Amino acid sequence: MKTGAVILAAGHNVSDEAFQPLMTIGGTTIIRRIIILLKQADVDPIVVITGRNSDQIEKHISKMRTICLRNTDYETTQMFDSIRMGLNYIEDLCDQVLILPVKYPMFLGDTIEKLLKTDSPAACPIYAGRRGHPVLISKELIPKLLHYDGARGLGGALRQESVNPLVKEIPVEDQGITLSIETDDDCEKNYNHSRRIPVHSVIHLYLEGDEIFFGPGIAQFLSLIDHTGSMQTACRQMHMSYSKGWKIIKDAEKQMGFPLLLTKSGGSDGGFSQLTPKSKDYLTRYLAMEKELDAEAKRLFQKYFGEDNRSNEGIERN
């Protein structure tokens, strides 16, 4: 079952001083911590809704293979409007979706694993009698959330009569699901060794002919073009110039021997960019190979370094 995620980082109703995504927590930032933990659980795609300081956030995570959508009306809309934006986009890309505001970054990887094991149409972690984040919903429930127009945002949508009986509460030993991080002091007070991101393997796959021509960067670029239908939007999300984007495409085409894109310039009907059938097939095979390599890397990591992690956990508990 394919699981995606919607991260809410638009900055609704907060001041610049309290804007959380780029706050430092441990050895990274809040937004990067969330994305890393999701990727460790094989969550993909990850959609990040930006608004306030969108350029900064998008540049900060530009190489993390996420999809960024901008809520340009974040100052006059509610968080649930950003949720709708994300769900509208991701609805046809996965079977279930994790929804999480960026202000709750302290959850543990074990909580994600427990949520993903449920067979319920919706699941919510619960600690000490309180529901927390992230929330998991199935694709089938997305229309019910999109059409909800009552009060209390996501909480109200999950408690509507047709949805609430389907929400399974998952007990977890993870206070982080309810810890809201608003200030640097909150980060310092609530972060400790038990909440460090576990050491893990990271594998990058490159394909080489006369030279390296296909890797994580162009895979992300093509995926974004495929998702958005716009090379210009893909360039913006990856924080590179349009001319550099074309150079990457042309250099790869020389090695591959076939065109990667079909493009149409703007006009009365608007312009678009889309992958050719051969390039889409190539990207699909690359991503499949990358996924298998990642699974094998995790197995090997446990073989060679798993004991180190278990030892560290024992030290932290003591």
Side-chain angles (χ1 to χ4, degrees):
M1 180 172 289
K2 189 174 179 63
T3 305
V6 174
I7 303 174
L8 306 162
H12 296 277
N13 302 319
V14 299
S15 65
D16 285 326
E17 293 77 13
F19 190 55
Q20 302 97 349
L22 301 180
M23 286 182 184
T24 299
I25 185 168
T28 185
T29 58
I30 282 178
I31 186 69
R32 286 181 60 86
R33 172 188 168 84
I34 292 173
I35 293 170
I36 291 170
L37 287 172
L38 292 175
K39 286 184 174 291
Q40 284 185 324
D42 297 322
V43 174
D44 181 72
I46 297 173
V47 175
V48 181
I49 308 298
T50 66
R52 185 188 299 272
N53 299 335
S54 55
D55 279 331
Q56 284 181 270
I57 296 174
E58 291 170 9
K59 183 176 182 180
H60 183 62
I61 62 174
S62 62
K63 295 183 179 180
M64 298 190 76
R65 298 173 77 169
T66 62
I67 300 165
C68 293
L69 304 180
R70 291 190 180 187
N71 181 351
T72 56
D73 298 321
Y74 71 92
E75 291 182 296
T76 58
T77 57
Q78 300 299 313
M79 185 183 294
F80 196 59
D81 295 297
S82 286
I83 291 175
R84 285 197 186 98
M85 179 183 292
L87 292 179
N88 262 315
Y89 185 89
I90 207 171
E91 184 174 6
D92 296 325
L93 300 179
C94 54
D95 303 301
Q96 55 186 9
V97 184
L98 289 161
I99 304 173
L100 55 158
V102 76
K103 68 186 290 185
Y104 293 100
M106 303 302 293
F107 63 89
L108 299 174
D110 287 347
T111 293
I112 298 295
E113 291 183 14
K114 288 181 180 179
L115 287 172
L116 297 185
K117 288 178 181 177
T118 183
D119 56 0
S120 177
C124 183
I126 183 171
Y127 175 83
R130 290 181 58 195
R131 286 185 176 186
H133 298 279
V135 172
L136 179 70
I137 63 166
S138 67
K139 177 179 179 178
E140 289 70 27
L141 284 184
I142 290 179
K144 292 183 180 294
L145 269 64
L146 291 177
H147 291 99
Y148 177 72
D149 60 359
R152 298 186 61 196
L154 179 61
L158 292 175
R159 286 180 169 83
Q160 58 183 311
E161 186 175 343
S162 62
V163 176
N164 191 51
L166 304 176
V167 180
K168 183 176 183 179
E169 293 184 340
I170 308 295
V172 296
E173 292 300 317
D174 181 6
Q175 186 181 6
I177 67 168
T178 61
L179 290 176
S180 173
I181 303 300
E182 307 278 357
T183 66
D184 290 330
D185 286 342
D186 290 339
C187 290
E188 293 181 14
K189 180 174 65 176
N190 294 304
Y191 181 81
N192 55 50
H193 286 295
S194 67
R195 299 201 175 272
R196 290 169 61 181
I197 296 173
V199 176
H200 56 286
S201 59
V202 179
I203 300 298
H204 296 299
L205 171 62
Y206 293 92
L207 305 181
E208 183 177 21
D210 295 331
E211 57 186 30
I212 293 175
F213 66 91
F214 207 97
I218 190 170
Q220 179 183 6
F221 190 35
L222 292 177
S223 294
L224 286 172
I225 294 172
D226 192 36
H227 286 317
T228 65
S230 168
M231 182 173 161
Q232 188 172 16
T233 300
C235 288
R236 177 179 60 78
Q237 291 197 14
M238 293 189 69
H239 274 259
M240 63 183 178
S241 67
Y242 193 72
S243 59
K244 182 178 180 180
W246 266 121
K247 185 178 187 306
I248 290 171
I249 295 296
K250 294 303 180 184
D251 287 348
E253 287 178 342
K254 288 179 184 178
Q255 294 283 327
M256 299 167 77
F258 57 84
L260 296 179
L261 298 181
L262 296 171
T263 61
K264 178 184 176 182
S265 299
S268 58
D269 298 327
F272 68 85
S273 298
Q274 64 185 43
L275 275 57
T276 64
K278 289 187 72 172
S279 68
K280 190 160 188 173
D281 173 69
Y282 203 93
L283 174 63
T284 298
R285 287 185 283 136
Y286 173 89
L287 294 176
M289 180 178 176
E290 186 181 53
K291 186 175 181 179
E292 288 190 41
L293 281 173
D294 184 61
E296 181 64 9
K298 288 179 179 177
R299 184 189 71 80
L300 290 173
F301 178 82
Q302 286 303 313
K303 176 180 178 180
Y304 290 103
F305 295 99
E307 189 61 38
D308 291 353
N309 273 354
R310 286 189 289 273
S311 297
N312 288 336
E313 289 171 3
I315 290 172
E316 289 168 7
R317 281 195 296 269
N318 296 332

